[in-house]
């Protein structure tokens, strides 16, 4: 097992983006899986507010609290050895003011997160700048943003038309200019995602955004085929043909690195 990896750093992630080395990210919510994913070669562990769906059985991420995110971040940090840790800022923990965002982000960092993630563009740029200037790295999230699923009219691909694509590009550049050091883009056309990845100096991590991104992220329970119900188009069942959970995760890492996952015709838009 790969237990001697050097700790991942922000500079290494930036270097990977610059050199074209793909970044493998998965969601993670506890210490046991943190150890397993780390040893299987996952570069980044995301404590996603997706835990509301896959752990709590909620219909959306909105009910997840900051206290719950802190708890799961602390659990993941105890199991992690070398992977980079990102903690989601949940709904209603950063929208009211930059001061609220700081307090919430600081709580996740104290729990063990190396970086925090927030959703949306436009109004979020000042929040990103405020946090980064005070020493907290930030990952932005554009495209389909689960915390605002109702406002988006459901689980819909974003950036399909010229106007919405232009707005996504505008917001992405604003967030990078504000100091965001990473960007997650979800459910947008592969061509647009590739264009964003080429234009930005920061890693762009795709989920349902094609193979042209700096790296990929999936919800752990989705790629292990344990999430009940229908899964999104961009998910692949890595347990199929695998001898163990760790084997499935290793296959995911290998396919992301080799750019054989995702396949735009099967998993993209």
């Amino acid at each position: 097992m790969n237990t001697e990896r050097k700790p991942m750093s922000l500079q290494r992630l930036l270097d990977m983006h610059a050199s074209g080395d793909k970044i493998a990210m998965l969601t993670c919510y506890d210490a046991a899986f943190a150890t397993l994913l780390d040893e299987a070669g996952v570069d980044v562990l995301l404590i996603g507010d997706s835990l509301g769906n896959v752990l709590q059985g909620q219909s959306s991420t909105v009910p997840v609290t900051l206290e719950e995110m802190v708890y799961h971040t602390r659990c993941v940090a105890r199991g992690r050895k070398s992977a980079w840790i990102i903690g989601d800022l949940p709904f209603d923990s950063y929208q009211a003011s930059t001061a609220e965002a700081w307090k919430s982000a600081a709580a996740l960092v104290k729990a063990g997160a190396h970086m925090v993630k927030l959703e949306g563009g436009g109004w979020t740029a000042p929040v990103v700048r405020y946090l980064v200037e005070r020493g907290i790295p930030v990952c932005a999230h554009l495209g389909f943003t689960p915390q605002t699923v109702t406002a988006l009219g459901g689980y819909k691909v974003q950036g399909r038309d010229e106007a919405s694509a232009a707005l996504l590009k505008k917001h992405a550049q604003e967030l990078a200019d504000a100091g965001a050091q990473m960007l997650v883009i979800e459910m947008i056309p592969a061509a647009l995602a590739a264009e964003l990845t080429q234009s930005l100096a920061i890693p762009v991590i795709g989920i349902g955004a094609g193979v042209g991104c700096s790296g990929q992220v999936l919800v752990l329970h989705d790629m292990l085929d344990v999430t009940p119900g229908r899964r999104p188009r961009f998910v692949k069942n890595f347990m199929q043909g695998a001898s163990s959970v760790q084997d499935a995760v290793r296959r995911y890492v290998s396919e992301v690195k080799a750019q054989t996952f995702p396949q735009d015709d099967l998993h993209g838009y």
Side-chain angles (χ1 to χ4, degrees):
M1 296 195 304
N2 187 12
T3 58
E4 301 300 322
R5 291 198 302 162
K6 293 181 179 179
M8 183 59 69
S9 66
L10 182 56
Q11 187 58 54
R12 282 184 62 197
L13 291 168
L14 292 168
D15 290 344
M16 290 173 74
H17 167 69
S19 65
D21 294 334
K22 299 301 181 179
I23 298 165
M25 182 191 301
L26 282 173
T27 65
C28 187
Y29 315 105
D30 62 48
F33 267 108
T35 299
L36 185 151
L37 268 56
D38 201 316
E39 292 178 347
V42 176
D43 298 308
V44 182
L45 305 179
L46 169 64
I47 302 95
D49 56 6
S50 52
L51 67 88
N53 303 102
V54 299
L55 297 188
Q56 299 176 345
Q58 307 278 6
S59 62
S60 76
T61 64
V62 170
V64 177
T65 67
L66 178 62
E67 290 74 20
E68 290 165 342
M69 291 303 305
V70 167
Y71 169 80
H72 286 280
T73 300
R74 189 175 294 119
C75 291
V76 170
R78 290 191 185 114
R80 166 263 182 193
K81 293 182 175 66
S82 59
W84 185 254
I85 298 177
I86 302 176
D88 261 347
L89 287 168
F91 181 77
D92 195 28
S93 71
Y94 60 97
Q95 287 88 346
S97 66
T98 52
E100 178 191 52
W102 168 260
K103 186 175 180 180
S104 300
L108 291 179
V109 171
K110 287 180 179 179
H114 302 121
M115 172 180 268
V116 300
K117 182 169 77 65
L118 52 75
E119 295 183 6
W123 67 272
T124 56
V127 178
V128 170
R129 181 174 290 107
Y130 188 91
L131 295 178
V132 171
E133 286 178 347
R134 287 155 180 79
I136 296 182
V138 176
C139 174
H141 184 156
L142 293 175
F144 175 73
T145 46
Q147 291 176 12
T148 54
V149 60
T150 303
L152 293 174
Y155 294 84
K156 296 181 178 180
V157 179
Q158 305 296 305
R160 282 196 185 274
D161 60 82
E162 186 176 342
S164 60
L167 185 61
L168 273 171
K169 288 188 280 188
K170 177 177 182 288
H171 285 167
Q173 190 61 60
E174 288 173 349
L175 288 162
D177 291 344
Q181 294 102 330
M182 186 179 290
L183 173 66
V184 168
I185 48 175
E186 183 168 356
M187 290 177 63
I188 72 170
L192 175 59
E195 182 180 351
L196 282 171
T197 304
Q198 291 297 317
S199 67
L200 296 175
I202 61 174
V204 177
I205 309 299
I207 176 167
V211 73
C213 301
S214 312
Q216 303 294 327
V217 62
L218 285 177
V219 172
L220 176 65
H221 292 60
D222 288 351
M223 58 84 68
L224 294 179
D225 197 36
V226 295
T227 305
R230 183 181 177 184
R231 278 166 288 287
R233 171 185 171 88
F234 54 76
V235 173
K236 177 178 177 178
N237 175 12
F238 282 89
M239 278 302 296
Q240 187 172 14
S243 60
S244 65
V245 169
Q246 189 172 59
D247 182 39
V249 175
R250 287 187 183 278
R251 289 175 60 217
Y252 168 76
V253 172
S254 176
E255 291 192 22
V256 169
K257 301 287 186 183
Q259 303 182 56
T260 56
F261 175 81
Q263 297 179 45
D264 288 349
D265 57 337
L266 295 178
H267 310 111
Y269 304 97

